[in-house]
Amino acid sequence: MLDTMISTQASPQTLDARIPPGPIEQKWDRARFDMKLVSRANRRKYRVIVVGTGLAGAAAAATLGEQGYQVDGFSFHDSPRRAHSIAAQGGINAAKNYRNDGDSIYRLFYDTIKGGDFRAREANAYRLAQLSVEIIDQCVAQGVPFAREYGGLLDTRSFGGVQVERTFYARGQTGQQLLLGAYQALERQISAGSVKMHTRSEMLDLVVIDGKARGIIVRNLVTGAITPHAADVVVLATGGYANVYYLSTNAKASNVTAIWRAHRRGALFGNPCFTQIHPTCIPVTGEHQSKLTLMSESLRNDGRVWVPVKKGDTRPPGAISDAERDYYLERRYPSFGNLVPRDVASRAAKEVCDAGRGVGPGGYGVYLDFRDAINRMGRDAVQEKYGNLFEIYERITGENAYDVPMRIYPAVHYTMGGLWVDYQLMSTIPGLFVGGEANFSDQGANRLGASALMQGLADGYFILPATVPNYLASSRFDPVNTAHPAFREVEDEVRRRTEALLATKGKRTVDSFHRELGRLMWDECGMARSESGLRKALARIPELREEFRTDVRVPGDDGGLNQSLEKAGRVADFLELAELMCTDALHRSESCGGHFRVESQTPDGEAMRNDEEFSYAAAWEWTGPDNAPVLHKEPLTFDYVHPTQRSYK
Amino acid sequence: MNLTLRIWRQKGANTPGEFVTYPVHNVSPDMSFLEMLDVLNEELIVRGEEPVSFEHDCREGICGSCGFLIDGMTHGPRRGTTVCQLHMRSFQDGDELTLEPWRASAFPVLKDLIVDRSAFDRIIQSGGFISAPTGSAPEANAILVPKESSDTAFDAAACIACGACVAACPNASAMLFTSAKLTHLNVLPQGQPERDERTVNMVAAMDREGFGSCTNHAECEAACPKLIPLEFIARMNRYVYRALLRPHRHPLAERIAPGAPSRAR
Ligand SMILES: Cc1cc2nc3c(=O)[nH]c(=O)nc-3n(C[C@H](O)[C@H](O)[C@H](O)COP(=O)(O)OP(=O)(O)OC[C@H]3O[C@@H](n4cnc5c(N)ncnc54)[C@H](O)[C@@H]3O)c2cc1C
Ligand code: FES
């Protein structure tokens, strides 16, 4: 009964993104004007569930609460302030043109579309650029301590993939400061009684009634209690799924469960294989490695990337003269140099390492050298700009990057894929909205640096608070509460899943499965993907899933705090997601952005798109555990930025 | 290297806990402290025992999830370093280490090394914000903020709310945490309108949550992984005096010290 959405949709469809008509600069205004409003007095009657209170979710919950809706916020963290957004370092883009260096809303829009390798929706990217300006205003008003010039004005810097200085930052802790702004706005609403916050509460399933999202099932991570929660609309802002690779720069607990469960209830999954590999992370040191640490790519503004010219050159970096160094990004991409977009920089690092010219233990690393920057601006200026990043590096590696160059290597960082949403950020399940990294995003096949924070806050502060009320005002609602049998049914399913994980009592730990899955995904669905590799992964994943089902060992019980059980549920979902990612990567036989198919490259090794065949967003439908997913397409049209082969030469 | 760990094990909030000793072998100096615990936990699971619960997420020293005492030191021996960023090269072969959760009545233990720090959220709820309804903000550069103020605000806002300051303080005081938030917001021009109100409300909330008061031990400053300076507590005291002494339409003193003299307008 709950699955009616799914079974009726078995044949491929063309998706309508509900993009408003008119010139691109007027679309958002037009959309807002066409939206239905809810009068102030009626807002209290509506219940809104917001799952996830990182940048996108905290901003949305605070704003909807302030507007007068009854909001319930959920987070598996002990406090909203701990969401993964806190870890963002480098900055947030905005088309303020404070530098008078030729920036504009149109240029940010253009850069986003080009940076995304023509796989993003033009209307969304334009709206994002428009809203970027208001985001900075909002954050400054909240007291976010952005970097400033001596005259008291805001400072900006440039960031990977662009030639203007439009990135606002708060030392190397921009995400922390933006999240604290959103968190504080949220706490203010909690004290005002408009938002009720449920911390240490993990959403384990979505409840769909009469085709509409009407609630969620939640496990209290301290008591183990599983409870139903009903609402008129559900917003998911649950972050990205890069942890499917086990090793990534994401926080350890980041996972796919919320959107995966919604996918299984009928929400289409957009571009699941679009993954971003970040070029500047600290290399892996051994088997024990539990996560990878990003060194903000703002470092590429002043650091120079190089490897020895000679293969297997193990001399210390200081002993290698300039003539024996290959500053390969500057050599290959003279106009962008060290600031080429992430996908380009990452692949270039992989190539030189695969060719045997990598540095450090294991040979999978390249140098990021500050020698010239220190000579040019002085050590103090470098410290003022990057001090905390140098400190992080020292803590992890025991090396001082003022004296020896950093060693870096690419790592999985961000997922452009996510639940497919229309212009209103609504998924294919009416009443289920998705914001932040959890949706399939405005970034296309590759995200420019400093654009995820911008997107999360645009969704949270401005877009969802307009589109959610529009949905409420224009839909008819039968009153629903948790006594409805659908809640009971889904709740029982959740209980059975939890019990099954505990009852298996096999021999292997959850982490050992997660590591194996991660390795497979990194090798076959990582920086370079091939048909044979993807087929290999597609053969192995179902086996691994079966081994997990029969041989996983989850200690403890479900009656209280049980971190192994939490992990087991998340890894079970990753094991399903991984297959969809490989299926998507296999079907898209072109290269675009971060998705590099070795079969599709230019003679000099750059990614080669195939616009004739693949100028669409892929949106996959779940059709049951043993059935192949069905592909639906949203055709992409480019009326403003004409698709060209990207060149950063 | 090989180590011996004495770890506080406690099943739940209402069950008594005890120390249990575990040997750990083949520890690499490149591991982080938490990765060393991961290795121990993997062994425990395979042996059919319950792994040690500890809180963590970012493992980059920024989310504030992690934190426990190592030999009585919050986050272990390295100054300005969270336990997730502490690496095993700070220890030696044969070391015996005692791990226990934060000890403070305002932070009840939930399990093993995990405590409940929601009291911090409630302090923020009481006034740790600037009221800026979405959409109402003026153009960002219309508000000039002296670089000095914004740098001080940033230093204070760097707090990660891990709770080490409370755990290190003999009085379990939350003054460093509270003063850091007050400094962040009170030095900025945007924070001025609510300054006095914010100050008294947050101080009152801190008392309500059962945190102790400050008697100048300065352990908090030494314990803080983000190096938040003690000076902010002195600032907080100044904020409180100012709030109490300045005339207000409704005297603020009542909120923190019922019956105290204060000037009304
Ligand atoms: C190391 C690092 C550095 C970065 N630096 C930058 C940068 O400089 N600039 C930039 O623009 N972007 C950067 N990014 C990307 C950016 O930080 C993220 O994309 C963005 O913060 C995601 O925000 P979010 O609100 O979508 O999700 P998150 O912040 O991940 O929040 C997810 C929320 O959902 C909750 N949640 C998840 N699942 C459930 C569930 N099942 N039940 C209940 N709650 C759930 C969590 O508790 C959390 O509250 C960086 C990312 C990383 C990893
Ligand atoms: S795990 Fe985030 S600060 Fe240690």
PDB file of all heavy atoms in Angstrom, chain B residues 7-20 101 103 109-112:
ATOM      1  N   ILE B   7      40.169   1.675  31.372  1.00  0.00           N
ATOM      2  CA  ILE B   7      39.080   2.466  30.792  1.00  0.00           C
ATOM      3  C   ILE B   7      37.825   2.382  31.655  1.00  0.00           C
ATOM      4  O   ILE B   7      37.448   1.301  32.120  1.00  0.00           O
ATOM      5  CB  ILE B   7      38.753   1.986  29.361  1.00  0.00           C
ATOM      6  CG1 ILE B   7      40.017   2.018  28.497  1.00  0.00           C
ATOM      7  CG2 ILE B   7      37.663   2.840  28.733  1.00  0.00           C
ATOM      8  CD1 ILE B   7      39.807   1.552  27.072  1.00  0.00           C
ATOM      9  N   TRP B   8      37.172   3.527  31.855  1.00  0.00           N
ATOM     10  CA  TRP B   8      35.923   3.567  32.593  1.00  0.00           C
ATOM     11  C   TRP B   8      34.814   2.926  31.769  1.00  0.00           C
ATOM     12  O   TRP B   8      34.526   3.365  30.661  1.00  0.00           O
ATOM     13  CB  TRP B   8      35.552   5.014  32.930  1.00  0.00           C
ATOM     14  CG  TRP B   8      34.315   5.126  33.767  1.00  0.00           C
ATOM     15  CD1 TRP B   8      33.064   5.428  33.333  1.00  0.00           C
ATOM     16  CD2 TRP B   8      34.215   4.929  35.172  1.00  0.00           C
ATOM     17  NE1 TRP B   8      32.182   5.438  34.384  1.00  0.00           N
ATOM     18  CE2 TRP B   8      32.859   5.130  35.532  1.00  0.00           C
ATOM     19  CE3 TRP B   8      35.142   4.587  36.175  1.00  0.00           C
ATOM     20  CZ2 TRP B   8      32.403   5.013  36.843  1.00  0.00           C
ATOM     21  CZ3 TRP B   8      34.683   4.479  37.481  1.00  0.00           C
ATOM     22  CH2 TRP B   8      33.320   4.690  37.805  1.00  0.00           C
ATOM     23  N   ARG B   9      34.221   1.854  32.302  1.00  0.00           N
ATOM     24  CA  ARG B   9      33.115   1.212  31.611  1.00  0.00           C
ATOM     25  C   ARG B   9      31.854   1.408  32.423  1.00  0.00           C
ATOM     26  O   ARG B   9      31.816   1.097  33.603  1.00  0.00           O
ATOM     27  CB  ARG B   9      33.375  -0.300  31.423  1.00  0.00           C
ATOM     28  CG  ARG B   9      34.634  -0.674  30.657  1.00  0.00           C
ATOM     29  CD  ARG B   9      34.725  -0.075  29.262  1.00  0.00           C
ATOM     30  NE  ARG B   9      33.572  -0.260  28.414  1.00  0.00           N
ATOM     31  CZ  ARG B   9      33.470  -1.187  27.465  1.00  0.00           C
ATOM     32  NH1 ARG B   9      34.444  -2.032  27.257  1.00  0.00           N
ATOM     33  NH2 ARG B   9      32.384  -1.259  26.708  1.00  0.00           N
ATOM     34  N   GLN B  10      30.819   1.917  31.770  1.00  0.00           N
ATOM     35  CA  GLN B  10      29.552   2.153  32.454  1.00  0.00           C
ATOM     36  C   GLN B  10      28.446   1.917  31.447  1.00  0.00           C
ATOM     37  O   GLN B  10      28.408   2.563  30.405  1.00  0.00           O
ATOM     38  CB  GLN B  10      29.524   3.600  32.994  1.00  0.00           C
ATOM     39  CG  GLN B  10      28.251   3.933  33.730  1.00  0.00           C
ATOM     40  CD  GLN B  10      28.312   5.315  34.415  1.00  0.00           C
ATOM     41  OE1 GLN B  10      29.391   5.852  34.655  1.00  0.00           O
ATOM     42  NE2 GLN B  10      27.158   5.884  34.714  1.00  0.00           N
ATOM     43  N   LYS B  11      27.549   1.018  31.746  1.00  0.00           N
ATOM     44  CA  LYS B  11      26.542   0.592  30.777  1.00  0.00           C
ATOM     45  C   LYS B  11      25.525   1.668  30.423  1.00  0.00           C
ATOM     46  O   LYS B  11      25.144   1.815  29.274  1.00  0.00           O
ATOM     47  CB  LYS B  11      25.806  -0.638  31.294  1.00  0.00           C
ATOM     48  CG  LYS B  11      26.215  -1.914  30.554  1.00  0.00           C
ATOM     49  CD  LYS B  11      25.305  -3.055  30.890  1.00  0.00           C
ATOM     50  CE  LYS B  11      24.954  -3.979  29.741  1.00  0.00           C
ATOM     51  NZ  LYS B  11      25.458  -3.739  28.425  1.00  0.00           N
ATOM     52  N   GLY B  12      25.099   2.397  31.448  1.00  0.00           N
ATOM     53  CA  GLY B  12      24.093   3.426  31.192  1.00  0.00           C
ATOM     54  C   GLY B  12      24.121   4.464  32.286  1.00  0.00           C
ATOM     55  O   GLY B  12      24.885   4.346  33.255  1.00  0.00           O
ATOM     56  N   ALA B  13      23.251   5.475  32.126  1.00  0.00           N
ATOM     57  CA  ALA B  13      23.266   6.601  33.060  1.00  0.00           C
ATOM     58  C   ALA B  13      22.999   6.157  34.499  1.00  0.00           C
ATOM     59  O   ALA B  13      23.543   6.728  35.438  1.00  0.00           O
ATOM     60  CB  ALA B  13      22.223   7.628  32.621  1.00  0.00           C
ATOM     61  N   ASN B  14      22.186   5.119  34.647  1.00  0.00           N
ATOM     62  CA  ASN B  14      21.785   4.754  36.011  1.00  0.00           C
ATOM     63  C   ASN B  14      22.459   3.495  36.547  1.00  0.00           C
ATOM     64  O   ASN B  14      22.040   2.938  37.545  1.00  0.00           O
ATOM     65  CB  ASN B  14      20.265   4.578  36.071  1.00  0.00           C
ATOM     66  CG  ASN B  14      19.571   5.857  35.644  1.00  0.00           C
ATOM     67  OD1 ASN B  14      19.997   6.951  36.045  1.00  0.00           O
ATOM     68  ND2 ASN B  14      18.560   5.746  34.795  1.00  0.00           N
ATOM     69  N   THR B  15      23.487   3.044  35.839  1.00  0.00           N
ATOM     70  CA  THR B  15      24.199   1.868  36.354  1.00  0.00           C
ATOM     71  C   THR B  15      25.578   2.309  36.834  1.00  0.00           C
ATOM     72  O   THR B  15      26.171   3.223  36.267  1.00  0.00           O
ATOM     73  CB  THR B  15      24.370   0.788  35.262  1.00  0.00           C
ATOM     74  OG1 THR B  15      24.699   1.454  34.037  1.00  0.00           O
ATOM     75  CG2 THR B  15      23.110  -0.012  35.067  1.00  0.00           C
ATOM     76  N   PRO B  16      26.101   1.676  37.867  1.00  0.00           N
ATOM     77  CA  PRO B  16      27.423   2.059  38.351  1.00  0.00           C
ATOM     78  C   PRO B  16      28.499   1.651  37.349  1.00  0.00           C
ATOM     79  O   PRO B  16      28.322   0.686  36.596  1.00  0.00           O
ATOM     80  CB  PRO B  16      27.568   1.282  39.661  1.00  0.00           C
ATOM     81  CG  PRO B  16      26.571   0.183  39.601  1.00  0.00           C
ATOM     82  CD  PRO B  16      25.500   0.590  38.651  1.00  0.00           C
ATOM     83  N   GLY B  17      29.593   2.369  37.321  1.00  0.00           N
ATOM     84  CA  GLY B  17      30.681   2.036  36.402  1.00  0.00           C
ATOM     85  C   GLY B  17      31.896   1.518  37.141  1.00  0.00           C
ATOM     86  O   GLY B  17      31.932   1.490  38.366  1.00  0.00           O
ATOM     87  N   GLU B  18      32.890   1.076  36.361  1.00  0.00           N
ATOM     88  CA  GLU B  18      34.141   0.602  36.963  1.00  0.00           C
ATOM     89  C   GLU B  18      35.245   0.683  35.921  1.00  0.00           C
ATOM     90  O   GLU B  18      34.984   0.768  34.722  1.00  0.00           O
ATOM     91  CB  GLU B  18      33.985  -0.860  37.413  1.00  0.00           C
ATOM     92  CG  GLU B  18      33.567  -1.748  36.247  1.00  0.00           C
ATOM     93  CD  GLU B  18      33.565  -3.251  36.568  1.00  0.00           C
ATOM     94  OE1 GLU B  18      34.031  -3.615  37.647  1.00  0.00           O
ATOM     95  OE2 GLU B  18      33.124  -4.009  35.707  1.00  0.00           O
ATOM     96  N   PHE B  19      36.492   0.647  36.390  1.00  0.00           N
ATOM     97  CA  PHE B  19      37.612   0.623  35.459  1.00  0.00           C
ATOM     98  C   PHE B  19      37.895  -0.812  35.016  1.00  0.00           C
ATOM     99  O   PHE B  19      37.861  -1.730  35.827  1.00  0.00           O
ATOM    100  CB  PHE B  19      38.870   1.192  36.110  1.00  0.00           C
ATOM    101  CG  PHE B  19      38.864   2.698  36.154  1.00  0.00           C
ATOM    102  CD1 PHE B  19      38.635   3.372  37.352  1.00  0.00           C
ATOM    103  CD2 PHE B  19      39.074   3.436  34.996  1.00  0.00           C
ATOM    104  CE1 PHE B  19      38.619   4.763  37.385  1.00  0.00           C
ATOM    105  CE2 PHE B  19      39.064   4.830  35.025  1.00  0.00           C
ATOM    106  CZ  PHE B  19      38.832   5.490  36.223  1.00  0.00           C
ATOM    107  N   VAL B  20      38.168  -0.983  33.720  1.00  0.00           N
ATOM    108  CA  VAL B  20      38.550  -2.299  33.207  1.00  0.00           C
ATOM    109  C   VAL B  20      39.867  -2.108  32.459  1.00  0.00           C
ATOM    110  O   VAL B  20      40.057  -1.098  31.771  1.00  0.00           O
ATOM    111  CB  VAL B  20      37.472  -2.866  32.249  1.00  0.00           C
ATOM    112  CG1 VAL B  20      37.882  -4.230  31.708  1.00  0.00           C
ATOM    113  CG2 VAL B  20      36.117  -2.948  32.941  1.00  0.00           C
ATOM    114  N   PRO B 101      35.490   9.493  31.609  1.00  0.00           N
ATOM    115  CA  PRO B 101      34.667  10.554  31.018  1.00  0.00           C
ATOM    116  C   PRO B 101      34.822  11.864  31.782  1.00  0.00           C
ATOM    117  O   PRO B 101      35.346  11.874  32.893  1.00  0.00           O
ATOM    118  CB  PRO B 101      33.246  10.022  31.154  1.00  0.00           C
ATOM    119  CG  PRO B 101      33.298   9.066  32.294  1.00  0.00           C
ATOM    120  CD  PRO B 101      34.671   8.472  32.290  1.00  0.00           C
ATOM    121  N   ARG B 103      34.002  14.568  34.282  1.00  0.00           N
ATOM    122  CA  ARG B 103      33.301  14.420  35.568  1.00  0.00           C
ATOM    123  C   ARG B 103      32.728  15.772  35.966  1.00  0.00           C
ATOM    124  O   ARG B 103      33.471  16.675  36.327  1.00  0.00           O
ATOM    125  CB  ARG B 103      34.271  13.956  36.645  1.00  0.00           C
ATOM    126  CG  ARG B 103      35.026  12.669  36.335  1.00  0.00           C
ATOM    127  CD  ARG B 103      34.115  11.467  36.445  1.00  0.00           C
ATOM    128  NE  ARG B 103      34.886  10.212  36.360  1.00  0.00           N
ATOM    129  CZ  ARG B 103      34.308   9.034  36.263  1.00  0.00           C
ATOM    130  NH1 ARG B 103      32.991   8.915  36.227  1.00  0.00           N
ATOM    131  NH2 ARG B 103      35.049   7.945  36.196  1.00  0.00           N
ATOM    132  N   VAL B 109      26.998  11.124  32.879  1.00  0.00           N
ATOM    133  CA  VAL B 109      27.538  10.093  31.991  1.00  0.00           C
ATOM    134  C   VAL B 109      26.377   9.329  31.348  1.00  0.00           C
ATOM    135  O   VAL B 109      25.414   8.947  32.013  1.00  0.00           O
ATOM    136  CB  VAL B 109      28.428   9.096  32.777  1.00  0.00           C
ATOM    137  CG1 VAL B 109      28.882   7.945  31.871  1.00  0.00           C
ATOM    138  CG2 VAL B 109      29.642   9.805  33.364  1.00  0.00           C
ATOM    139  N   LEU B 110      26.465   9.105  30.031  1.00  0.00           N
ATOM    140  CA  LEU B 110      25.431   8.320  29.342  1.00  0.00           C
ATOM    141  C   LEU B 110      25.889   6.885  29.156  1.00  0.00           C
ATOM    142  O   LEU B 110      25.127   5.944  29.299  1.00  0.00           O
ATOM    143  CB  LEU B 110      25.117   8.937  27.975  1.00  0.00           C
ATOM    144  CG  LEU B 110      24.466  10.318  28.000  1.00  0.00           C
ATOM    145  CD1 LEU B 110      24.284  10.831  26.585  1.00  0.00           C
ATOM    146  CD2 LEU B 110      23.122  10.266  28.718  1.00  0.00           C
ATOM    147  N   LYS B 111      27.165   6.725  28.791  1.00  0.00           N
ATOM    148  CA  LYS B 111      27.733   5.373  28.642  1.00  0.00           C
ATOM    149  C   LYS B 111      29.251   5.497  28.516  1.00  0.00           C
ATOM    150  O   LYS B 111      29.739   6.382  27.803  1.00  0.00           O
ATOM    151  CB  LYS B 111      27.167   4.713  27.383  1.00  0.00           C
ATOM    152  CG  LYS B 111      27.557   3.246  27.271  1.00  0.00           C
ATOM    153  CD  LYS B 111      26.887   2.568  26.082  1.00  0.00           C
ATOM    154  CE  LYS B 111      27.234   1.084  26.093  1.00  0.00           C
ATOM    155  NZ  LYS B 111      26.628   0.370  24.973  1.00  0.00           N
ATOM    156  N   ASP B 112      29.976   4.629  29.149  1.00  0.00           N
ATOM    157  CA  ASP B 112      31.445   4.607  29.073  1.00  0.00           C
ATOM    158  C   ASP B 112      32.039   6.028  29.133  1.00  0.00           C
ATOM    159  O   ASP B 112      31.969   6.679  30.151  1.00  0.00           O
ATOM    160  CB  ASP B 112      31.910   3.870  27.815  1.00  0.00           C
ATOM    161  CG  ASP B 112      31.494   2.403  27.815  1.00  0.00           C
ATOM    162  OD1 ASP B 112      31.150   1.888  28.902  1.00  0.00           O
ATOM    163  OD2 ASP B 112      31.501   1.769  26.741  1.00  0.00           O
TER     164      ASP B 112
END
